[in-house]
Amino acid sequence: MTILPGTMAATLYGGASRVIEDYYCAYGVNPAYRVTLEEGGLRVSGLGDEGEVRIVELPGHPFFLATLFLPQTRSVPARPHPLLAGYAAAIGRMSTTSR
């Protein structure tokens, strides 16, 4: 999968431009709606090998990142998946700023 530079996904993956993720479902984003999603404020941040949308995020939000793969399947307590670690960190930041 290609991770687009300058995105939250790129930051969470440590600046990597290519990552391997398991994709188990037959669902995906209809390419005809990509422009509509982007015009609505979502940013595509990850693409499959054929250019299909795999990750979207909402810039400016503490942590709005949606994937069409399951990061939890590659995560273990000793080595959490980078996206899940980022989600946990965002929760920690929000809980300390809301007190």
Side-chain angles (χ1 to χ4, degrees):
M1 175 179 352
T2 299
I3 304 299
L4 302 178
T7 61
M8 180 189 309
T11 299
L12 295 173
Y13 278 112
S17 61
R18 296 278 306 160
V19 298
I20 296 172
E21 292 294 353
D22 299 322
Y23 183 72
Y24 299 107
C25 74
Y27 297 103
V29 174
N30 183 331
Y33 292 103
R34 179 175 173 173
V35 170
T36 303
L37 293 172
E38 292 173 327
E39 288 173 349
L42 290 178
R43 181 172 185 187
V44 174
S45 54
L47 299 170
D49 292 335
E50 296 177 19
E52 65 276 37
V53 174
R54 292 289 183 243
I55 307 173
V56 296
E57 56 190 61
L58 184 59
H61 188 277
F63 195 93
F64 183 104
L65 189 138
T67 69
L68 285 171
F69 57 89
L70 303 170
Q72 63 270 29
T73 62
R74 298 183 69 126
S75 193
V76 295
R79 199 179 76 240
H81 188 283
L83 301 184
L84 299 179
Y87 179 59
I91 291 169
R93 286 189 302 273
M94 290 179 69
S95 67
T96 58
T97 59
S98 63
R99 291 182 184 166

Coordinates of all heavy atoms in Angstrom, one line a residue:
M1 N 0.8 -1.2 0.0 CA 0.0 0.0 0.0 C 0.9 1.2 0.0 O 1.9 1.3 0.7 CB -0.9 0.0 1.2 CG -1.7 1.2 1.4 SD -2.8 1.3 2.8 CE -2.8 -0.3 3.5
T2 N 0.5 2.2 -0.7 CA 1.2 3.5 -0.8 C 0.6 4.4 0.3 O -0.6 4.6 0.3 CB 1.1 4.2 -2.2 OG1 1.7 3.3 -3.1 CG2 1.8 5.5 -2.2
I3 N 1.4 5.0 1.1 CA 1.0 6.0 2.1 C 1.4 7.4 1.6 O 2.6 7.6 1.2 CB 1.7 5.8 3.5 CG1 1.4 4.3 4.0 CG2 1.2 6.8 4.5 CD1 -0.1 4.0 4.1
L4 N 0.5 8.3 1.5 CA 0.7 9.6 0.9 C 1.4 10.5 1.9 O 1.1 10.5 3.1 CB -0.6 10.2 0.4 CG -1.3 9.3 -0.6 CD1 -2.7 10.0 -1.0 CD2 -0.5 9.1 -1.8
P5 N 2.4 11.2 1.4 CA 3.2 12.1 2.3 C 2.4 13.2 2.9 O 1.4 13.7 2.3 CB 4.4 12.6 1.4 CG 3.9 12.4 0.0 CD 2.9 11.3 0.0
G6 N 2.8 13.7 4.1 CA 2.1 14.8 4.7 C 0.8 14.5 5.4 O 0.1 15.4 5.7
T7 N 0.5 13.2 5.5 CA -0.7 12.8 6.1 C -0.5 12.3 7.5 O 0.6 11.9 7.9 CB -1.4 11.7 5.3 OG1 -0.5 10.5 5.3 CG2 -1.7 12.2 3.9
M8 N -1.6 12.2 8.3 CA -1.5 11.5 9.6 C -1.0 10.1 9.5 O -0.2 9.6 10.3 CB -2.8 11.6 10.4 CG -2.8 11.0 11.7 SD -4.4 10.7 12.6 CE -5.1 12.3 12.4
A9 N -1.5 9.4 8.5 CA -1.1 8.0 8.3 C 0.4 7.9 8.1 O 1.1 7.1 8.6 CB -1.8 7.4 7.1
A10 N 1.0 8.8 7.3 CA 2.4 8.9 7.0 C 3.2 9.1 8.3 O 4.2 8.4 8.6 CB 2.8 9.9 6.0
T11 N 2.7 10.0 9.2 CA 3.3 10.3 10.4 C 3.3 9.0 11.3 O 4.3 8.6 11.9 CB 2.6 11.4 11.2 OG1 2.8 12.6 10.3 CG2 3.2 11.7 12.5
L12 N 2.1 8.4 11.4 CA 2.0 7.2 12.3 C 2.8 6.0 11.8 O 3.3 5.2 12.6 CB 0.5 6.8 12.4 CG -0.4 7.8 13.1 CD1 -1.8 7.4 13.0 CD2 0.1 8.0 14.5
Y13 N 3.0 5.9 10.5 CA 3.8 4.8 9.9 C 5.3 5.2 9.9 O 6.1 4.6 9.2 CB 3.4 4.5 8.5 CG 2.2 3.5 8.5 CD1 1.0 3.9 8.0 CD2 2.3 2.2 8.8 CE1 -0.1 3.1 7.9 CE2 1.3 1.3 8.8 CZ 0.1 1.8 8.3 OH -1.0 0.9 8.2
G14 N 5.7 6.3 10.6 CA 7.1 6.7 10.7 C 7.6 7.3 9.4 O 8.8 7.1 9.2
G15 N 6.8 7.8 8.5 CA 7.2 8.4 7.3 C 7.4 7.4 6.2 O 7.8 7.8 5.1
A16 N 7.0 6.2 6.4 CA 7.1 5.2 5.3 C 6.2 5.5 4.2 O 5.1 6.0 4.4 CB 6.7 3.8 5.9
S17 N 6.6 5.3 3.0 CA 5.8 5.5 1.8 C 5.1 4.3 1.3 O 4.1 4.3 0.5 CB 6.6 6.1 0.7 OG 7.7 5.3 0.3
R18 N 5.6 3.1 1.7 CA 5.0 1.8 1.4 C 4.9 1.0 2.6 O 5.8 0.9 3.4 CB 5.8 1.1 0.3 CG 6.0 1.7 -1.0 CD 4.9 1.5 -2.0 NE 4.6 0.1 -2.2 CZ 3.4 -0.3 -2.6 NH1 2.5 0.5 -3.0 NH2 3.1 -1.6 -2.8
V19 N 3.7 0.4 2.8 CA 3.5 -0.6 3.9 C 2.7 -1.8 3.4 O 2.1 -1.7 2.4 CB 2.8 0.1 5.1 CG1 3.6 1.2 5.7 CG2 1.4 0.5 4.7
I20 N 2.8 -2.8 4.2 CA 2.0 -4.0 3.8 C 0.9 -4.2 4.9 O 1.2 -4.2 6.1 CB 2.9 -5.3 3.8 CG1 4.0 -5.1 2.7 CG2 2.1 -6.6 3.6 CD1 5.0 -6.2 2.7
E21 N -0.3 -4.3 4.4 CA -1.4 -4.5 5.3 C -2.3 -5.6 4.6 O -2.4 -5.7 3.4 CB -2.3 -3.2 5.4 CG -1.6 -2.1 6.2 CD -1.3 -2.5 7.7 OE1 -1.8 -3.5 8.2 OE2 -0.7 -1.7 8.3
D22 N -2.9 -6.4 5.5 CA -3.8 -7.4 5.0 C -5.2 -6.9 4.7 O -5.8 -6.2 5.6 CB -3.9 -8.6 6.0 CG -2.6 -9.2 6.3 OD1 -1.8 -9.4 5.3 OD2 -2.3 -9.5 7.4
Y23 N -5.8 -7.2 3.6 CA -7.1 -6.7 3.2 C -8.0 -7.9 3.0 O -7.7 -8.7 2.1 CB -7.0 -5.8 2.0 CG -8.2 -5.2 1.5 CD1 -8.8 -4.2 2.2 CD2 -8.9 -5.7 0.4 CE1 -10.0 -3.6 1.8 CE2 -10.1 -5.1 0.0 CZ -10.6 -4.0 0.7 OH -11.8 -3.5 0.3
Y24 N -9.0 -8.0 3.8 CA -9.8 -9.3 3.8 C -11.2 -9.2 3.1 O -11.9 -10.1 3.0 CB -10.1 -9.8 5.2 CG -8.8 -10.1 6.0 CD1 -8.3 -9.3 6.9 CD2 -8.1 -11.2 5.6 CE1 -7.2 -9.6 7.6 CE2 -6.9 -11.5 6.3 CZ -6.5 -10.7 7.3 OH -5.3 -11.0 8.0
C25 N -11.7 -8.0 2.8 CA -13.1 -7.9 2.4 C -13.2 -7.5 0.9 O -12.2 -7.0 0.3 CB -13.8 -6.9 3.2 SG -13.5 -5.2 3.0
A26 N -14.4 -7.6 0.4 CA -14.6 -7.3 -1.0 C -15.2 -5.9 -1.2 O -15.6 -5.5 -2.3 CB -15.6 -8.3 -1.6
Y27 N -15.2 -5.1 -0.1 CA -15.8 -3.8 -0.1 C -14.7 -2.8 -0.4 O -13.5 -3.0 -0.1 CB -16.5 -3.4 1.2 CG -17.6 -4.3 1.5 CD1 -17.5 -5.3 2.4 CD2 -18.8 -4.1 0.8 CE1 -18.6 -6.1 2.7 CE2 -19.9 -5.0 1.1 CZ -19.8 -6.0 2.0 OH -20.8 -6.8 2.3
G28 N -15.1 -1.6 -0.9 CA -14.1 -0.6 -1.2 C -14.9 0.7 -1.5 O -16.1 0.7 -1.6
V29 N -14.1 1.8 -1.7 CA -14.7 3.1 -2.0 C -14.9 3.1 -3.5 O -13.9 2.8 -4.3 CB -13.7 4.2 -1.5 CG1 -14.2 5.6 -2.0 CG2 -13.6 4.2 0.0
N30 N -16.1 3.4 -3.9 CA -16.3 3.6 -5.4 C -15.5 4.7 -5.9 O -15.6 5.8 -5.4 CB -17.8 3.9 -5.6 CG -18.2 4.0 -7.0 OD1 -17.4 4.4 -7.9 ND2 -19.5 3.7 -7.3
P31 N -14.6 4.5 -6.9 CA -13.7 5.5 -7.4 C -14.5 6.8 -7.8 O -13.9 7.9 -7.8 CB -13.0 4.9 -8.5 CG -13.1 3.4 -8.3 CD -14.4 3.2 -7.5
A32 N -15.7 6.6 -8.2 CA -16.5 7.8 -8.7 C -16.8 8.8 -7.6 O -17.1 9.9 -7.8 CB -17.8 7.3 -9.3
Y33 N -16.6 8.3 -6.3 CA -16.9 9.2 -5.2 C -15.7 9.8 -4.5 O -15.8 10.6 -3.6 CB -17.8 8.4 -4.1 CG -19.2 8.1 -4.6 CD1 -19.5 6.9 -5.0 CD2 -20.1 9.1 -4.7 CE1 -20.8 6.6 -5.5 CE2 -21.4 8.8 -5.1 CZ -21.7 7.6 -5.5 OH -23.0 7.3 -6.0
R34 N -14.5 9.4 -5.0 CA -13.3 9.9 -4.4 C -13.3 11.5 -4.3 O -13.0 12.1 -3.3 CB -12.1 9.4 -5.1 CG -10.8 9.9 -4.4 CD -9.6 9.3 -5.0 NE -8.4 10.0 -4.5 CZ -7.2 9.6 -4.7 NH1 -6.9 8.5 -5.4 NH2 -6.1 10.2 -4.2
V35 N -13.6 12.1 -5.5 CA -13.5 13.6 -5.5 C -14.5 14.2 -4.6 O -14.3 15.1 -3.8 CB -13.8 14.1 -7.0 CG1 -14.0 15.6 -7.0 CG2 -12.6 13.7 -7.8
T36 N -15.7 13.6 -4.5 CA -16.8 14.0 -3.6 C -16.3 13.9 -2.1 O -16.5 14.9 -1.3 CB -18.1 13.2 -3.8 OG1 -18.5 13.3 -5.1 CG2 -19.2 13.7 -2.8
L37 N -15.7 12.8 -1.8 CA -15.1 12.7 -0.4 C -14.1 13.8 -0.1 O -14.1 14.4 1.0 CB -14.5 11.3 -0.2 CG -15.5 10.1 -0.2 CD1 -14.8 8.8 -0.2 CD2 -16.5 10.2 0.9
E38 N -13.2 14.0 -1.1 CA -12.1 15.0 -0.9 C -12.7 16.4 -0.8 O -12.3 17.2 0.0 CB -11.1 14.8 -1.9 CG -10.3 13.5 -1.8 CD -9.4 13.3 -3.0 OE1 -9.7 13.6 -4.1 OE2 -8.3 12.7 -2.7
E39 N -13.7 16.7 -1.6 CA -14.3 18.0 -1.6 C -15.1 18.2 -0.3 O -15.3 19.3 0.2 CB -15.3 18.2 -2.8 CG -14.5 18.4 -4.1 CD -15.5 18.4 -5.3 OE1 -16.7 18.0 -5.2 OE2 -15.0 18.7 -6.4
G40 N -15.5 17.1 0.3 CA -16.2 17.2 1.6 C -15.3 17.3 2.8 O -15.8 17.3 3.9
G41 N -14.0 17.3 2.6 CA -13.1 17.5 3.7 C -12.2 16.3 4.0 O -11.2 16.4 4.8
L42 N -12.6 15.1 3.5 CA -11.7 13.9 3.8 C -10.5 14.0 2.9 O -10.5 14.5 1.8 CB -12.5 12.6 3.6 CG -13.6 12.4 4.6 CD1 -14.3 11.1 4.2 CD2 -13.1 12.3 6.0
R43 N -9.4 13.4 3.5 CA -8.2 13.4 2.7 C -7.8 11.9 2.5 O -7.8 11.1 3.5 CB -7.0 14.1 3.5 CG -5.7 14.0 2.7 CD -4.7 14.9 3.3 NE -3.5 14.9 2.5 CZ -2.4 15.4 2.9 NH1 -2.3 16.0 4.0 NH2 -1.3 15.4 2.1
V44 N -7.6 11.5 1.3 CA -7.1 10.1 1.0 C -5.7 10.1 1.4 O -4.9 10.9 1.0 CB -7.3 9.8 -0.4 CG1 -6.7 8.4 -0.8 CG2 -8.8 9.8 -0.8
S45 N -5.3 9.1 2.3 CA -3.9 9.0 2.8 C -3.3 7.7 2.5 O -2.1 7.5 2.8 CB -3.9 9.4 4.2 OG -4.7 8.6 5.0
G46 N -4.0 6.7 2.0 CA -3.5 5.4 1.7 C -4.2 4.8 0.5 O -5.4 4.9 0.4
L47 N -3.4 4.3 -0.4 CA -3.9 3.7 -1.7 C -3.4 2.3 -1.9 O -2.2 2.0 -1.6 CB -3.4 4.5 -2.9 CG -3.9 6.0 -2.9 CD1 -3.2 6.8 -4.0 CD2 -5.4 6.0 -3.1
G48 N -4.3 1.4 -2.4 CA -3.9 0.1 -2.7 C -3.0 0.0 -3.9 O -2.8 1.1 -4.6
D49 N -2.5 -1.1 -4.3 CA -1.6 -1.3 -5.4 C -2.2 -0.8 -6.7 O -1.4 -0.5 -7.7 CB -1.1 -2.7 -5.5 CG -0.2 -3.1 -4.3 OD1 0.4 -2.2 -3.7 OD2 -0.1 -4.3 -4.0
E50 N -3.5 -0.8 -6.8 CA -4.1 -0.4 -8.1 C -4.8 1.0 -8.0 O -5.6 1.4 -8.8 CB -5.2 -1.5 -8.5 CG -4.5 -2.8 -8.8 CD -5.5 -3.9 -9.2 OE1 -6.7 -3.5 -9.6 OE2 -5.1 -5.1 -9.1
G51 N -4.4 1.7 -6.9 CA -4.8 3.1 -6.8 C -6.1 3.2 -6.0 O -6.7 4.3 -5.9
E52 N -6.6 2.1 -5.5 CA -7.9 2.1 -4.7 C -7.7 2.7 -3.3 O -6.7 2.5 -2.7 CB -8.5 0.7 -4.7 CG -7.8 -0.3 -3.9 CD -6.7 -1.0 -4.7 OE1 -6.0 -0.4 -5.5 OE2 -6.4 -2.2 -4.4
V53 N -8.7 3.5 -2.9 CA -8.6 4.1 -1.6 C -8.6 3.1 -0.5 O -9.5 2.2 -0.4 CB -9.8 5.1 -1.4 CG1 -9.9 5.6 0.0 CG2 -9.8 6.2 -2.4
R54 N -7.7 3.1 0.4 CA -7.6 2.2 1.6 C -7.6 2.9 2.9 O -7.9 2.4 3.9 CB -6.3 1.4 1.5 CG -6.3 0.4 0.3 CD -7.3 -0.7 0.6 NE -7.3 -1.7 -0.4 CZ -8.4 -2.0 -1.1 NH1 -9.5 -1.4 -1.0 NH2 -8.3 -3.0 -2.0
I55 N -7.1 4.2 2.9 CA -7.2 5.0 4.2 C -7.7 6.4 3.9 O -7.2 7.0 2.9 CB -5.8 5.1 4.8 CG1 -5.1 3.8 5.0 CG2 -5.8 5.9 6.2 CD1 -3.6 3.9 5.5
V56 N -8.5 6.9 4.7 CA -9.0 8.3 4.6 C -8.8 8.9 6.0 O -8.9 8.2 7.0 CB -10.4 8.5 4.1 CG1 -10.5 8.1 2.7 CG2 -11.4 7.9 5.0
E57 N -8.7 10.2 6.1 CA -8.6 10.9 7.4 C -9.2 12.3 7.2 O -9.4 12.8 6.1 CB -7.1 11.0 7.8 CG -6.2 11.7 6.8 CD -4.7 11.5 7.2 OE1 -4.2 10.4 7.3 OE2 -4.1 12.6 7.4
L58 N -9.5 12.9 8.4 CA -10.1 14.2 8.4 C -9.0 15.2 9.0 O -8.8 15.2 10.2 CB -11.3 14.2 9.3 CG -12.1 15.5 9.3 CD1 -12.6 16.0 7.9 CD2 -13.3 15.3 10.2
P59 N -8.4 16.0 8.1 CA -7.4 16.9 8.6 C -7.9 17.8 9.7 O -9.1 18.3 9.6 CB -7.0 17.7 7.4 CG -7.3 16.8 6.2 CD -8.6 16.1 6.7
G60 N -7.1 18.1 10.7 CA -7.5 19.0 11.8 C -8.3 18.3 12.9 O -8.4 18.9 14.0
H61 N -8.7 17.1 12.7 CA -9.4 16.3 13.8 C -8.3 15.6 14.7 O -7.3 15.2 14.1 CB -10.3 15.3 13.2 CG -11.2 14.6 14.1 ND1 -10.8 13.5 14.9 CD2 -12.5 14.9 14.5 CE1 -11.8 13.1 15.7 NE2 -12.8 13.9 15.5
P62 N -8.5 15.5 16.0 CA -7.5 14.8 16.8 C -7.2 13.4 16.3 O -6.0 13.0 16.4 CB -8.2 14.8 18.2 CG -9.2 15.9 18.2 CD -9.7 16.0 16.8
F63 N -8.2 12.7 15.8 CA -7.9 11.3 15.3 C -9.1 10.8 14.6 O -9.9 10.1 15.1 CB -7.4 10.3 16.4 CG -6.8 9.1 15.8 CD1 -5.5 9.0 15.6 CD2 -7.6 8.1 15.3 CE1 -4.9 7.9 15.0 CE2 -7.0 6.9 14.7 CZ -5.6 6.9 14.6
F64 N -9.2 11.2 13.3 CA -10.3 10.6 12.4 C -9.5 10.0 11.3 O -9.0 10.7 10.4 CB -11.2 11.7 11.9 CG -12.3 11.1 11.1 CD1 -13.6 11.0 11.6 CD2 -12.1 10.7 9.8 CE1 -14.6 10.5 10.8 CE2 -13.1 10.2 9.0 CZ -14.4 10.1 9.5
L65 N -9.4 8.7 11.4 CA -8.6 7.9 10.4 C -9.4 6.6 10.2 O -9.7 5.9 11.1 CB -7.2 7.7 10.9 CG -6.3 7.1 9.9 CD1 -4.9 7.7 10.0 CD2 -6.2 5.6 10.1
A66 N -9.8 6.4 8.9 CA -10.6 5.2 8.6 C -9.8 4.3 7.6 O -9.2 4.8 6.7 CB -11.9 5.6 8.0
T67 N -9.8 3.0 7.9 CA -9.1 2.1 7.0 C -10.1 1.1 6.4 O -11.1 0.8 7.0 CB -8.0 1.3 7.7 OG1 -8.6 0.4 8.6 CG2 -7.1 2.3 8.5
L68 N -9.7 0.5 5.3 CA -10.4 -0.6 4.7 C -9.6 -1.9 4.9 O -9.6 -2.8 4.1 CB -10.7 -0.4 3.2 CG -11.8 0.6 3.0 CD1 -11.9 1.0 1.6 CD2 -13.2 0.1 3.5
F69 N -8.9 -2.0 6.0 CA -8.2 -3.1 6.5 C -8.2 -3.1 8.0 O -8.7 -2.2 8.6 CB -6.7 -3.2 6.0 CG -5.9 -2.0 6.4 CD1 -5.2 -1.9 7.6 CD2 -5.8 -0.9 5.6 CE1 -4.4 -0.8 7.9 CE2 -5.1 0.3 5.9 CZ -4.4 0.3 7.1
L70 N -7.8 -4.2 8.6 CA -8.0 -4.4 10.0 C -6.6 -4.3 10.7 O -5.9 -5.3 10.9 CB -8.6 -5.7 10.3 CG -10.0 -6.0 9.7 CD1 -10.4 -7.4 9.8 CD2 -11.0 -5.0 10.3
P71 N -6.2 -3.1 11.2 CA -4.9 -3.0 11.8 C -4.8 -3.9 13.1 O -3.7 -4.3 13.5 CB -4.7 -1.5 12.1 CG -6.1 -0.9 12.0 CD -6.9 -1.8 11.1
Q72 N -5.9 -4.2 13.7 CA -5.8 -4.9 15.0 C -5.3 -6.4 14.7 O -4.8 -7.0 15.7 CB -7.2 -4.9 15.7 CG -8.3 -5.5 15.0 CD -9.1 -4.6 14.1 OE1 -8.5 -3.6 13.6 NE2 -10.4 -4.8 13.9
T73 N -5.5 -6.9 13.5 CA -5.0 -8.2 13.2 C -3.5 -8.3 13.2 O -2.9 -9.4 13.3 CB -5.5 -8.8 11.9 OG1 -5.1 -8.0 10.8 CG2 -7.1 -8.8 11.9
R74 N -2.8 -7.2 13.1 CA -1.3 -7.2 13.1 C -0.7 -6.5 14.4 O 0.4 -6.1 14.4 CB -0.8 -6.4 11.9 CG -1.2 -7.0 10.6 CD -0.7 -6.3 9.4 NE 0.8 -6.5 9.4 CZ 1.4 -7.0 8.4 NH1 0.8 -7.2 7.3 NH2 2.7 -7.1 8.4
S75 N -1.6 -6.5 15.4 CA -1.2 -5.8 16.6 C -1.1 -6.8 17.8 O -2.0 -7.7 17.9 CB -2.2 -4.7 16.9 OG -1.7 -3.8 17.9
V76 N -0.1 -6.7 18.6 CA 0.1 -7.4 19.8 C 0.4 -6.5 20.9 O 1.0 -5.4 20.6 CB 1.1 -8.6 19.7 CG1 0.7 -9.6 18.7 CG2 2.5 -8.0 19.3
P77 N 0.2 -6.8 22.2 CA 0.5 -5.8 23.3 C 1.9 -5.3 23.3 O 2.2 -4.2 23.5 CB 0.1 -6.6 24.5 CG -0.9 -7.6 24.1 CD -0.5 -8.0 22.7
A78 N 2.9 -6.2 23.0 CA 4.3 -5.8 23.0 C 4.6 -5.0 21.8 O 5.6 -4.2 21.8 CB 5.2 -7.0 23.1
R79 N 3.9 -5.0 20.7 CA 4.2 -4.3 19.5 C 2.8 -3.9 18.8 O 2.4 -4.5 17.9 CB 5.0 -5.1 18.6 CG 5.7 -4.3 17.5 CD 6.6 -5.1 16.6 NE 5.8 -5.8 15.6 CZ 5.7 -7.1 15.5 NH1 6.4 -7.9 16.2 NH2 4.9 -7.6 14.6
P80 N 2.2 -2.8 19.4 CA 0.9 -2.4 18.8 C 1.1 -1.9 17.4 O 2.1 -1.3 17.0 CB 0.4 -1.3 19.7 CG 1.6 -0.8 20.4 CD 2.6 -2.0 20.5
H81 N 0.1 -2.1 16.6 CA 0.1 -1.5 15.2 C 0.2 0.0 15.3 O -0.4 0.6 16.2 CB -1.2 -1.9 14.5 CG -1.2 -1.6 13.1 ND1 -1.4 -0.3 12.6 CD2 -1.1 -2.4 12.0 CE1 -1.4 -0.3 11.3 NE2 -1.2 -1.6 10.9
P82 N 1.0 0.6 14.4 CA 1.2 2.1 14.5 C -0.1 2.9 14.5 O -0.2 3.9 15.2 CB 2.0 2.4 13.2 CG 2.5 1.1 12.7 CD 1.7 0.0 13.3
L83 N -1.1 2.5 13.7 CA -2.4 3.2 13.7 C -3.1 3.1 15.1 O -3.7 4.1 15.6 CB -3.3 2.8 12.6 CG -2.7 2.9 11.2 CD1 -3.7 2.5 10.1 CD2 -2.2 4.3 10.9
L84 N -3.1 1.9 15.7 CA -3.7 1.8 17.0 C -2.9 2.5 18.1 O -3.5 3.1 19.0 CB -3.8 0.3 17.3 CG -4.7 -0.5 16.3 CD1 -4.7 -2.0 16.8 CD2 -6.1 0.1 16.2
A85 N -1.6 2.5 18.0 CA -0.8 3.3 18.9 C -1.1 4.8 18.8 O -1.2 5.5 19.8 CB 0.7 3.0 18.7
G86 N -1.3 5.2 17.6 CA -1.6 6.6 17.4 C -3.0 7.0 17.9 O -3.2 8.1 18.5
Y87 N -3.9 6.0 17.8 CA -5.3 6.2 18.3 C -5.2 6.3 19.9 O -5.8 7.3 20.5 CB -6.2 5.1 17.9 CG -7.6 5.2 18.4 CD1 -8.4 6.3 18.2 CD2 -8.1 4.1 19.2 CE1 -9.7 6.3 18.6 CE2 -9.4 4.2 19.7 CZ -10.2 5.3 19.4 OH -11.5 5.3 19.9
A88 N -4.5 5.4 20.5 CA -4.3 5.5 22.0 C -3.7 6.8 22.4 O -4.1 7.4 23.4 CB -3.5 4.2 22.4
A89 N -2.7 7.2 21.7 CA -2.0 8.5 22.0 C -2.9 9.6 21.9 O -2.9 10.5 22.8 CB -0.8 8.7 21.1
A90 N -3.8 9.6 20.9 CA -4.8 10.7 20.7 C -5.7 10.8 21.9 O -6.1 11.8 22.4 CB -5.5 10.6 19.4
I91 N -6.2 9.6 22.3 CA -7.1 9.5 23.5 C -6.4 10.1 24.7 O -6.9 10.8 25.5 CB -7.5 8.0 23.7 CG1 -8.4 7.6 22.6 CG2 -8.2 7.9 25.1 CD1 -8.7 6.1 22.6
G92 N -5.1 9.7 24.9 CA -4.3 10.2 26.1 C -4.2 11.7 26.0 O -4.4 12.4 27.0
R93 N -3.9 12.3 24.8 CA -3.8 13.7 24.7 C -5.2 14.4 25.0 O -5.2 15.4 25.7 CB -3.4 14.1 23.3 CG -1.9 13.9 23.1 CD -1.5 14.5 21.7 NE -2.2 14.0 20.6 CZ -1.9 12.9 19.9 NH1 -0.9 12.2 20.2 NH2 -2.6 12.6 18.8
M94 N -6.3 13.8 24.5 CA -7.6 14.4 24.8 C -8.0 14.3 26.2 O -8.6 15.3 26.8 CB -8.6 13.7 23.9 CG -8.5 14.1 22.4 SD -9.7 13.3 21.4 CE -11.1 14.1 21.9
S95 N -7.6 13.2 26.9 CA -8.0 13.1 28.3 C -7.3 14.1 29.2 O -7.8 14.5 30.2 CB -7.9 11.7 28.8 OG -6.5 11.3 28.8
T96 N -6.0 14.4 28.8 CA -5.3 15.3 29.6 C -5.7 16.8 29.4 O -5.6 17.6 30.2 CB -3.7 15.2 29.4 OG1 -3.4 15.4 28.1 CG2 -3.3 13.8 29.9
T97 N -6.1 17.1 28.2 CA -6.5 18.5 27.8 C -8.0 18.8 28.3 O -8.3 19.9 28.4 CB -6.4 18.8 26.3 OG1 -7.2 17.8 25.6 CG2 -4.9 18.6 25.9
S98 N -8.8 17.7 28.5 CA -10.2 18.0 28.9 C -10.3 18.1 30.4 O -11.4 18.3 30.9 CB -11.1 16.9 28.4 OG -10.7 15.6 28.9
R99 N -9.3 18.0 31.2 CA -9.4 18.0 32.6 C -9.3 19.4 33.1 O -8.7 20.3 32.6 CB -8.3 17.2 33.3 CG -8.5 15.8 33.1 CD -7.4 15.0 33.8 NE -7.6 13.6 33.4 CZ -6.8 12.6 33.6 NH1 -5.6 12.9 34.2 NH2 -7.0 11.4 33.3

